[in-house]
Amino acid sequence: MFRLTRGCYFLNSVFGSEGTTLKNAVATGSQVSAVVSLIVAMVTTGLLAGVFYAYACSVMIGLGKFDDKTYVEVMNKINVVIVNPVFMLSFLGSVAFSILAALLHLRSDLRPVLIWVGVAVALNLVSLIVTSGFNVPLNDQLATATDAQGVVDYAGLRKDFEMPWLTWNIVRALANTGALAVLGWALVQHGRLTR
């Protein structure tokens, strides 16, 4: 049988087999892809959970110390600058890489991990839906109201925005934190299956 050399010896040390045939190397490559997808899903999910956590425990508290006009203006600026490639990688990547990890765990030998990855996909989707369905519309209302001509009721805008936005931010932070924990457990389970 054809034996692979250095790369497979490294993979052998990771996955614990003595020798690797080409067929086993393909299976091992599939396992590596599954592990890498889990790790990338964890990183993007963790980054997103961290952003929402930082909003909850620092940004919004600090912003809350300002007057209504400053609060509304700064929040509008934050909402514009946060839509950037780095944030979007974690925002959309948390869902996309979790789905990829689920797809790579459809193999029968990796299927026990699939339930955990599926829960993570669901939690990451909850965060995406909460953000798209609640936080972004609140951001848009705040921006639209301040773009209007005439006198702006900053106190009214803040009153209608602040508590609902904070509440939904905590919901999405908890969803992403839960997804991060479940992905971590999925990685542990994957390791147990492939030893």
Side-chain angles (χ1 to χ4, degrees):
M1 290 216 173
F2 176 77
R3 298 245 180 218
L4 297 175
T5 56
R6 290 185 183 161
C8 286
Y9 290 123
F10 168 74
L11 293 173
N12 289 343
S13 67
V14 172
F15 292 105
S17 63
E18 291 298 322
T20 303
T21 63
L22 184 57
K23 181 179 175 184
N24 289 341
V26 170
T28 302
S30 175
Q31 289 176 3
V32 170
S33 297
V35 167
V36 169
S37 68
L38 275 174
I39 292 169
V40 175
M42 281 182 62
V43 169
T44 55
T45 299
L47 289 170
L48 192 57
V51 167
F52 297 151
Y53 171 78
Y55 267 109
C57 71
S58 63
V59 174
M60 299 309 286
I61 292 170
L63 201 50
K65 305 294 184 195
F66 289 103
D67 62 90
D68 297 331
K69 183 176 190 276
T70 303
Y71 178 95
V72 169
E73 289 175 349
V74 171
M75 194 65 201
N76 276 332
K77 288 190 184 339
I78 290 171
N79 291 333
V80 170
V81 300
I82 199 162
V83 182
N84 65 68
V86 175
F87 174 75
M88 294 311 285
L89 176 63
S90 60
F91 181 64
L92 298 175
S94 63
V95 174
F97 289 115
S98 295
I99 290 170
L100 177 62
L103 293 172
L104 292 172
H105 283 85
L106 287 173
R107 285 185 18 202
S108 61
D109 60 325
L110 298 177
R111 192 116 351 124
V113 178
L114 186 59
I115 186 71
W116 301 109
V117 179
V119 170
V121 169
L123 289 168
N124 278 329
L125 283 171
V126 165
S127 174
L128 180 71
I129 291 165
V130 166
T131 300
S132 302
F134 298 100
N135 293 95
V136 170
L138 286 166
N139 293 346
D140 292 345
Q141 287 174 356
L142 199 63
T144 302
T146 55
D147 287 342
Q149 298 292 329
V151 177
V152 177
D153 178 14
Y154 289 106
L157 286 174
R158 181 177 181 171
K159 180 181 172 283
D160 293 341
F161 175 87
E162 191 169 20
M163 285 313 297
W165 195 95
L166 286 170
T167 301
W168 289 114
N169 181 64
I170 291 169
V171 169
R172 65 189 182 170
L174 291 172
N176 284 127
T177 302
L180 177 62
V182 173
L183 286 167
W185 183 246
L187 189 59
V188 168
Q189 294 304 310
H190 180 97
R192 289 179 178 168
L193 284 175
T194 55
R195 283 271 177 230

